[in-house]
Amino acid sequence: MEDRIIIRDVIASDAGAIATIYNPYVTETVITFEKIPVTSAEILSRIENILNSGFPYIVAEKDNRVIGYAYAGQWRSRAAYKHTVETSIYLAQEVIGHGAGTTLYKELLERLRQLEIHVVLGGITLPNPVSVRLHEKLGFTKVAHFNEAGYKFGRWLDVGFWELILS
């Protein structure tokens, strides 16, 4: 029998698994605008920065293996943006479409509610119908579309932003 998905706080030893999940997005897709694979040490530094800022960084685990992660970070640095965050979520390719993303994102949103976050933003490289579906399933609405905002793999890429008002 398969174990169910467990959502838990990230720990330092998850950095390698997170890099393993993330780097194919870097090298094979336009989902992230990074172009160079990220080391486990860099992932650990990023985790520490998010946690030290007081925001959640969580992982989804199944069968004792990290299959995805999600976190939130401050959207902009000005004081008036204190209650607005931008989220990120990444899943191991083989679990996409099986509910892990929904489970993980719902937990992230609940933790953000507890922090009294008011606005959650999700930036999506377009086209990305899987991510759009996930965000809209969770109540996000599209609020912005930036044409040719990024350049990767020899082409210009659009970016959309989806918004969810939590409170």
Side-chain angles (χ1 to χ4, degrees):
M1 173 182 253
E2 273 187 64
D3 292 337
R4 64 181 182 84
I5 295 171
I6 296 168
I7 307 298
R8 62 171 174 78
D9 292 330
V10 71
I11 56 176
S13 61
D14 293 328
I18 290 170
T20 298
I21 290 167
Y22 182 62
N23 282 327
Y25 289 99
V26 173
T27 59
E28 301 166 18
T29 78
V30 296
I31 289 172
T32 177
F33 283 177
E34 289 199 73
K35 295 180 177 182
I36 299 170
V38 181
T39 66
S40 297
E42 175 59 25
I43 293 289
L44 182 57
S45 175
R46 293 175 186 190
I47 290 169
E48 290 169 348
N49 286 338
I50 293 294
L51 296 177
N52 289 338
S53 297
F55 295 108
Y57 199 125
I58 57 178
V59 298
E61 193 176 76
K62 187 170 184 175
D63 299 327
N64 297 312
R65 183 175 74 90
V66 174
I67 60 167
Y69 64 97
Y71 60 90
Q74 191 65 46
W75 183 57
R76 294 210 169 177
S77 61
R78 302 283 192 259
Y81 292 116
K82 177 182 176 183
H83 299 284
T84 301
V85 297
E86 184 174 358
T87 57
S88 289
I89 180 170
Y90 288 90
L91 298 174
Q93 295 292 318
E94 68 273 12
V95 302
I96 293 173
H98 299 285
T102 300
T103 301
L104 185 58
Y105 218 146
K106 281 182 177 178
E107 177 62 23
L108 181 64
L109 294 173
E110 182 53 37
R111 291 177 184 219
L112 293 171
R113 278 186 188 90
Q114 292 170 10
L115 292 173
E116 298 181 355
I117 295 300
H118 183 62
V119 176
V120 179
L121 299 171
I124 303 172
T125 304
L126 299 172
N128 185 339
V130 172
S131 188
V132 169
R133 262 193 315 276
L134 174 62
H135 284 82
E136 291 181 352
K137 174 180 179 181
L138 295 172
F140 286 75
T141 56
K142 187 175 183 183
V143 293
H145 188 115
F146 300 101
N147 295 305
E148 300 181 359
Y151 187 81
K152 187 174 178 181
F153 299 141
R155 63 183 182 152
W156 291 105
L157 301 160
D158 293 0
V159 174
F161 271 87
W162 272 253
E163 171 189 73
L164 178 66
I165 306 294
L166 287 180
S167 59

